[in-house]
Amino acid sequence: MTTTEQTGAELPLEQCDRVVIRFAGDSGDGMQITGNQFTHTSAVFGNDLATLPDFPAEIRAPAGTRAGVSGFQLQFSSRDIHTPGDEPDVLVAMNPAALIVNYKDLRSGGTIIANTGAFTAAELRKASLDTNPLEDGTLAGYRVIQVDINKRVQETLADSPLKSKDIQRCKNFYTLGLMYWLYSRPVETTLNWLDEKFAKRPEVADANKKALQAGYNAGDIQELFQSRYAVPPCGALPAGTYRNIMGNQAVALGLAAGAELAGLKLFLGSYPITPATTILEELAALKNFGVKTFQAEDEIAGICTALGASYAGYLGATTTSGPGLALKTEAMGLAVITELPLVIVNVQRGGPSTGLPTKVEQADLLQSVCGRNSEAPLPVLACATAADSFDCAVEACRIAIEYMTPVILLSDNFIANGSQPWKLPRVDDLPKFPVTFRKDPVDFLPYSRNEKGARPWVIPGTKDLVHRIGGLEKDETGNISITPENHEIMTRIRQDKIIGIRDSIPTPAVDGPESGDLLVLGWGSTKGPINGAVERVQEAGQSVSQMHLRHIWPFPKGLDEIFGRFKAVMIPEMNMGQLTRLLRSEYPQHNFISYPKVQGQPFRATEIATKIKELLEN
Amino acid sequence: MSTETVLKKKDFKSDQEVRWCPGCGDYGIINSVQGALADLGATKENTVFVSGIGCSSRFPYYMDTYGFHSIHGRAPAIASGIKAANPDLTVWIVTGDGDGLSIGGNHMAHILRRNLDINILLFNNQIYGLTKGQYSPTSPTGLRTKTSPMGSVDRPFDPIGFALGCNATFVARTIDTHMKHMGGVLKAAAAHKGTSFVEIFQNCVIFNDGCFDETAAKDVRDERTLDLRPGEPLVYGKELDKGVRVDGWDPHIVAAGEAATWDPAGASSAPAFLMSQLDQDPAMPTPIGIFQAVEGPIYEEALEAQIDEAVERKGAGTLESLIWSGETWTVD
């Protein structure tokens, strides 16, 4: 490495449409913070973006090992994008393990920025490497930029009052500074964030700020790169005010908003479980909105406290992931038979059992639609993107309240922790669905029905309306009835009520030609990769259409007619074909082609595009 | 409110036919609860009975109040949600030894430590009744039932010791046939601020008849039980001539005049624990009455206080401030 001084301004500035960066390091290297800061700065700068954090199941796997590698990928763009990108253009590798685990994902000819300070014999051993990949030809075909970040940070902070170990913890901000320089990003957003984050520890804020600035300056004064890059703000984003949001954050805000739109207060009963926990954390911080959060002793108590709160006149909600949903099953049945509003959020992860707790899968669909004892139908919705999660949560609240029913809202680990710009809705534009509790004792029957099939919501404390509800079958009077005729009547009433929800939901739009050879149908977080794939195929001149389901149970009206306009319907799913099964049973006359993926990773747009082309050509 | 008609015991009976077995101890208990509600001046609309599954859990259907018959073992969780949402309601949980200490043991432990202002009545008959006679977590070791034909090899829970171990602020025991005593305990439980745990010795005439006869039968109970009354001496016997005194860690039977004075509100739960195990010595009487009654912070009050504090510090949130917060930017 030379120390020849040269100003960055003399380097050519290359304009790019989009760039995909992956930051990778040890779990303790602060890669999630680095990625989030780059994301935030790019969002405020005006790029469209999408992110994919990827961290191990262990909080701190043994340092330096392949198991301990934590990654954060983001795509930022001057155009409308849908995914965090298939192949990174740039890989930042903070240690040998991070390099070896990630370099194969890079596009050919891509750039690797390697922290040579971590490529010591000991670190190579920890990563189970016999030779140094920076020297043994492993990285042939990639452009490798070598920077001894350990040493640079030590030099930069030689005068810092921090201990040597704490100085090394500033490495990620040095790296971030370097990347800000390379992609012509402003440093101010992060400088301000550091001041705020470490307000009580100014020496830590100072050290990280210095490291950030030093990394930025290193780009200027050291001949590390042949050019700098600029990704101009995205012109495709519709006008409006934006904030960057993660899926779990959007669900939390959507639940709080949903309660407000109903004129209620929100009660969240929940037990911590990855990757749903941050919804509980977000809502616990919204006490000034009157939100009550109850960290329960287990998943069952989570849903039961929420159901109790709904009974008492709050909007009850509970949040979980697949294994937790399994534990809540019996209480969901109780919510079905007592016909109380309840929102159950399932942030899906890989399974079965504990499975892949920090990876993505969409394999709880059949569990959600069918997974309860006896006939216990309830509506199921799915969030498509981080920003869409807000609208979906509001919609789940609406259905729960208008139809007096538990609702399952499916999210997944991809969108829960992934972020994107969210165009803020105007409060006046949000749907309102105010609740009227029943207070009139005249002709009161606890299980009478309104035009939607919903029973009256009477909260304890209401005079002259005392009655009992419970898990035993009831008749209209609320009294126990186990006659054969009554059970069949009540079973049909509960089913018809749920099927009737389709009267209140729109038929999803077809994107692309209204008819043709192939419709690509998605649900949940496959939306981004499907969008990307379909656009590519369309740009290549082939005809393909796309449709996405938000409401999965009941299916919206009009699907039969839409499917009839296409020769085949292809369904990419991160499971073994669960939506495909449901559709085949509901619409057996159509040709559904399942395209499953169960690797704990989201689809790449290229994978889907290749499959589409293959289907179109056969 | 003072102009309202004061409700009588019969006003708390619902129009539903009671379907417990003839001779079941539950009849005496519901009678006593309805009497206590009348004496306490309770209203129908502000009273909620929550139950799980089991014979005892049919209780809410027979009460003319609000009622929620839920699922097995989960009544404490449902009730916690109700009370946390609306602290103005008076919430009672009715449960049994299987519902409350076996399938629902976890929820029972946690409601007791959280100390919501809820009253819990645990009907202990040492047997599973509704499933027709299997041993329960309070059945004595050796009990022969359909699932333990050679005698149960399980060691039992002591409900009082369980509740004390969970840091419960009010712990008491009474007997289904001892109406006067039960009325007093129920009213003390209702008056207590915090979670009140009341174990009721309840006879199952069909599957475990007479399981408490040695201590609770009317003809022996004066001699075989010791009523723990706050501020009163630890005396028992038909003539109240016998007493209990504790020297060091060892309880002794003494003359009434030498008996210790009972204080369930002390800083330590040790005396209550000691009383809960008193009858492990067969010569000793079985304590009933109030084992523990201490003050503690109330969960739902603390929750509301935090909300008030947050509103004071940050201002009451609105939809606008919920959505339009964080770092934003504008695209023209």
Side-chain angles (χ1 to χ4, degrees):
Chain A
M1 201 175 301
T2 77
T3 53
T4 315
E5 294 213 1
Q6 183 189 355
T7 63
E10 292 169 27
L11 290 178
L13 190 64
E14 282 186 32
Q15 300 286 324
C16 312
D17 278 352
R18 60 178 81 181
V19 173
V20 179
I21 301 181
R22 185 181 295 176
F23 295 96
D26 198 58
S27 307
D29 280 342
M31 290 298 98
Q32 303 303 318
I33 292 175
T34 311
N36 276 317
Q37 281 303 307
F38 198 99
T39 301
H40 199 64
T41 292
S42 299
V44 174
F45 183 74
N47 294 127
D48 194 10
L49 55 89
T51 73
L52 174 64
D54 182 18
F55 35 83
E58 297 77 18
I59 301 301
R60 291 279 187 277
T65 61
R66 297 184 187 201
V69 173
S70 170
F72 188 104
Q73 181 170 319
L74 84 154
Q75 174 162 220
F76 57 106
S77 170
S78 61
R79 297 169 52 188
D80 190 10
I81 51 163
H82 313 295
T83 72
D86 288 355
E87 298 177 320
D89 300 299
V90 182
L91 169 68
V92 177
M94 298 300 285
N95 68 4
L99 175 72
I100 210 71
V101 168
N102 287 290
Y103 81 94
K104 282 183 187 158
D105 293 339
L106 212 57
R107 74 166 163 79
S108 87
T111 301
I112 293 168
I113 297 171
N115 171 24
T116 54
F119 282 70
T120 60
E123 292 293 318
L124 290 169
R125 247 194 329 274
K126 284 183 203 162
S128 310
L129 290 166
D130 297 328
T131 55
N132 186 346
L134 297 177
E135 294 161 0
D136 64 8
T138 302
L139 304 179
Y142 300 107
R143 187 140 59 99
V144 183
I145 313 280
Q146 302 195 19
V147 191
D148 188 342
I149 296 173
N150 293 16
K151 193 171 164 194
R152 296 284 161 265
V153 169
Q154 196 60 51
E155 287 166 3
T156 303
L157 300 176
D159 300 334
S160 166
L162 296 184
K163 290 184 193 136
S164 168
K165 188 169 141 245
D166 292 330
I167 285 174
Q168 282 302 308
R169 295 185 65 184
C170 300
K171 279 187 305 212
N172 59 333
F173 281 94
Y174 183 94
T175 313
L176 184 63
L178 195 59
M179 298 308 284
Y180 278 169
W181 176 86
L182 186 60
Y183 291 101
S184 321
R185 322 258 94 184
V187 294
E188 283 69 27
T189 310
T190 298
L191 292 176
N192 293 340
W193 180 84
L194 281 167
D195 277 334
E196 214 170 285
K197 171 92 180 165
F198 296 109
K200 287 183 183 149
R201 299 174 65 198
E203 71 285 2
V204 177
D206 276 353
N208 280 308
K209 283 160 75 179
K210 269 188 195 152
L212 182 79
Q213 204 66 60
Y216 192 91
N217 294 343
D220 262 344
I221 59 178
Q222 296 171 5
E223 282 183 338
L224 294 172
F225 303 97
Q226 276 94 48
S227 59
R228 290 178 81 183
Y229 304 89
V231 179
C234 176
L237 289 176
T241 300
Y242 287 78
R243 69 191 267 200
N244 195 41
I245 197 148
M246 294 196 279
N248 274 356
Q249 233 181 337
V251 167
L253 295 182
L255 291 176
E260 292 268 333
L261 292 164
L264 300 176
K265 294 295 178 197
L266 180 70
F267 180 100
L268 181 77
S270 182
Y271 185 73
I273 181 170
T274 302
T277 313
T278 48
I279 304 174
L280 170 60
E281 291 173 355
E282 288 283 337
L283 286 170
L286 293 182
K287 290 205 166 56
N288 62 318
F289 291 83
V291 174
K292 288 182 177 173
T293 54
F294 187 102
Q295 184 175 312
E297 57 272 23
D298 61 23
E299 294 282 356
I300 298 170
I303 187 170
C304 285
T305 51
L307 188 62
S310 280
Y311 173 63
Y314 269 57
L315 175 60
T318 187
T319 48
T320 190
S321 188
L325 192 71
L327 286 163
K328 294 181 195 295
T329 302
E330 189 190 12
M332 280 191 266
L334 181 64
V336 167
I337 200 167
T338 54
E339 301 187 52
L340 287 165
L342 181 68
V343 179
I344 302 138
V345 181
N346 176 12
V347 185
Q348 299 165 96
R349 64 190 213 188
S353 187
T354 309
L356 311 172
T358 60
K359 311 290 178 192
V360 69
E361 206 164 88
Q362 313 179 274
D364 300 345
L365 182 65
L366 291 176
Q367 180 191 16
S368 301
V369 174
C370 314
R372 285 164 296 283
N373 61 305
S374 187
E375 297 290 339
L378 56 74
V380 179
L381 287 76
C383 313
T385 65
D388 183 54
S389 303
F390 177 84
D391 294 332
C392 284
V394 170
E395 172 70 349
C397 297
R398 177 192 72 83
I399 292 174
I401 286 164
E402 287 186 350
Y403 290 86
M404 292 291 282
T405 179
V407 178
I408 292 179
L409 174 62
L410 294 173
S411 174
D412 66 42
N413 193 36
F414 178 33
I415 47 183
N417 290 303
S419 66
Q420 69 175 150
W422 174 40
K423 183 170 176 292
L424 303 183
R426 288 275 158 210
V427 168
D428 292 343
D429 296 339
L430 295 171
K432 291 189 181 53
F433 34 91
V435 167
T436 322
F437 295 123
R438 170 79 186 240
K439 293 198 173 110
D440 179 7
V442 177
D443 297 330
F444 169 65
L445 289 170
Y447 287 82
S448 61
R449 307 279 155 187
N450 68 10
E451 70 290 351
K452 290 193 163 90
R455 76 175 190 92
W457 193 356
V458 181
I459 57 170
T462 311
K463 207 164 159 45
D464 300 327
L465 288 180
V466 294
H467 65 283
R468 275 65 59 189
I469 61 169
L472 285 167
E473 185 67 282
K474 306 285 189 297
D475 62 21
E476 207 179 28
T477 64
N479 293 322
I480 300 169
S481 169
I482 52 166
T483 66
E485 300 76 19
N486 180 66
H487 180 52
E488 180 143 355
I489 288 168
M490 292 302 280
T491 302
R492 287 182 185 279
I493 283 174
R494 288 189 289 264
Q495 173 163 303
D496 291 347
K497 180 177 83 166
I498 300 307
I499 298 298
I501 292 170
R502 58 169 55 146
D503 291 338
S504 75
I505 59 182
T507 302
V510 174
D511 235 1
E514 287 294 316
S515 62
D517 289 341
L518 188 65
L519 175 71
V520 184
L521 179 67
W523 71 276
S525 77
T526 54
K527 186 174 187 189
I530 293 175
N531 269 350
V534 166
E535 274 178 15
R536 270 180 225 187
V537 176
Q538 286 171 340
E539 279 167 17
Q542 286 175 290
S543 173
V544 61
S545 304
Q546 172 188 1
M547 187 164 79
H548 208 75
L549 293 179
R550 170 184 284 180
H551 299 88
I552 296 175
W553 197 262
F555 286 127
K557 288 177 176 172
L559 296 191
D560 186 35
E561 193 269 323
I562 293 171
F563 296 153
R565 291 191 247 129
F566 293 88
K567 285 188 188 153
V569 180
M570 167 186 162
I571 305 168
E573 289 183 85
M574 290 181 283
N575 59 46
M576 294 304 285
Q578 299 193 3
L579 179 67
T580 313
R581 275 210 214 185
L582 281 180
L583 288 168
R584 280 181 185 148
S585 94
E586 292 294 305
Y587 308 100
Q589 63 275 36
H590 300 295
N591 179 21
F592 299 106
I593 300 165
S594 178
Y595 182 48
K597 177 176 181 179
V598 280
Q599 299 177 3
Q601 295 294 333
F603 278 103
R604 294 175 177 190
T606 41
E607 291 170 334
I608 297 175
T610 305
K611 182 72 183 176
I612 293 172
K613 283 181 191 155
E614 182 193 310
L615 290 174
L616 287 176
E617 278 150 26
N618 291 325
Chain B
M1 297 301 275
S2 57
T3 58
E4 304 248 331
T5 331
V6 176
L7 298 176
K8 299 195 179 63
K9 182 166 153 181
K10 67 173 173 47
D11 294 322
F12 290 100
K13 293 186 201 300
S14 79
D15 60 358
Q16 296 297 293
E17 183 194 357
V18 183
R19 291 189 188 161
W20 287 312
C21 307
C24 177
D26 292 1
Y27 286 96
I29 301 172
I30 199 166
N31 200 27
S32 195
V33 169
Q34 287 161 342
L37 290 179
D39 290 351
L40 289 161
T43 64
K44 293 182 181 193
E45 63 271 16
N46 284 322
T47 306
V48 187
F49 277 85
V50 185
S51 64
I53 294 294
C55 292
S56 62
S57 289
R58 297 298 178 93
F59 201 97
Y61 291 119
Y62 308 140
M63 297 292 298
D64 200 22
T65 63
Y66 282 95
F68 198 151
H69 175 223
S70 72
I71 44 178
H72 208 4
R74 318 303 171 199
I78 302 260
S80 294
I82 294 171
K83 187 69 179 177
N86 185 356
D88 293 337
L89 296 170
T90 301
V91 181
W92 296 76
I93 292 170
V94 179
T95 183
D97 41 315
D99 188 62
L101 292 176
S102 194
I103 194 167
N106 191 34
H107 309 303
M108 183 62 76
H110 291 277
I111 192 174
L112 292 174
R113 79 175 165 82
R114 288 195 186 100
N115 199 37
L116 290 99
D117 189 14
I118 289 176
N119 310 308
I120 302 172
L121 308 180
L122 186 138
F123 298 12
N124 183 10
N125 56 18
Q126 301 185 344
I127 198 82
Y128 285 133
L130 201 57
T131 51
K132 302 186 178 177
Q134 301 79 30
Y135 64 96
S136 91
T138 58
S139 298
T141 305
L143 188 72
R144 288 176 190 265
T145 69
K146 289 174 196 160
T147 51
S148 57
M150 297 172 70
S152 160
V153 294
D154 281 30
R155 293 175 71 216
F157 259 138
D158 164 39
I160 299 293
F162 177 92
L164 291 168
C166 296
N167 232 350
T169 56
F170 182 97
V171 180
R173 177 188 279 156
T174 187
I175 299 169
D176 58 356
T177 53
H178 199 338
M179 302 305 281
K180 187 162 169 253
H181 188 264
M182 185 159 37
V185 166
L186 292 177
K187 279 183 254 181
H192 175 73
K193 283 285 282 174
T195 308
S196 304
F197 178 89
V198 180
E199 179 196 11
I200 306 174
F201 284 171
Q202 179 250 323
N203 191 42
C204 173
V205 284
I206 306 296
F207 297 109
N208 205 14
D209 194 22
C211 65
F212 296 109
D213 274 0
E214 285 180 21
T215 51
K218 280 181 187 164
D219 53 342
V220 300
R221 77 183 177 212
D222 288 342
E223 295 297 327
R224 297 302 306 142
T225 61
L226 164 67
D227 190 14
L228 306 175
R229 290 165 301 159
E232 301 288 329
L234 294 173
V235 293
Y236 68 104
K238 202 166 179 55
E239 309 299 328
L240 292 177
D241 53 340
K242 291 183 275 292
V244 171
R245 198 178 68 203
V246 180
D247 294 322
W249 298 104
D250 300 321
H252 297 281
I253 296 173
V254 295
E258 294 170 45
T261 300
W262 182 240
D263 176 16
S268 166
S269 298
F273 270 112
L274 197 144
M275 284 300 141
S276 76
Q277 297 181 4
L278 191 69
D279 58 359
Q280 288 190 358
D281 174 353
M284 289 284 179
T286 296
I288 59 173
I290 297 171
F291 287 74
Q292 179 144 294
V294 296
E295 283 183 19
I298 313 292
Y299 181 92
E300 64 273 20
E301 289 179 5
L303 182 60
E304 299 230 313
Q306 287 193 342
I307 288 174
D308 292 344
E309 189 190 332
V311 168
E312 196 169 300
R313 282 214 312 248
K314 300 179 187 171
T318 63
L319 257 178
E320 191 82 24
S321 66
L322 180 74
I323 296 165
W324 292 69
S325 64
E327 196 158 356
T328 61
W329 70 95
T330 303
V331 173
D332 298 321

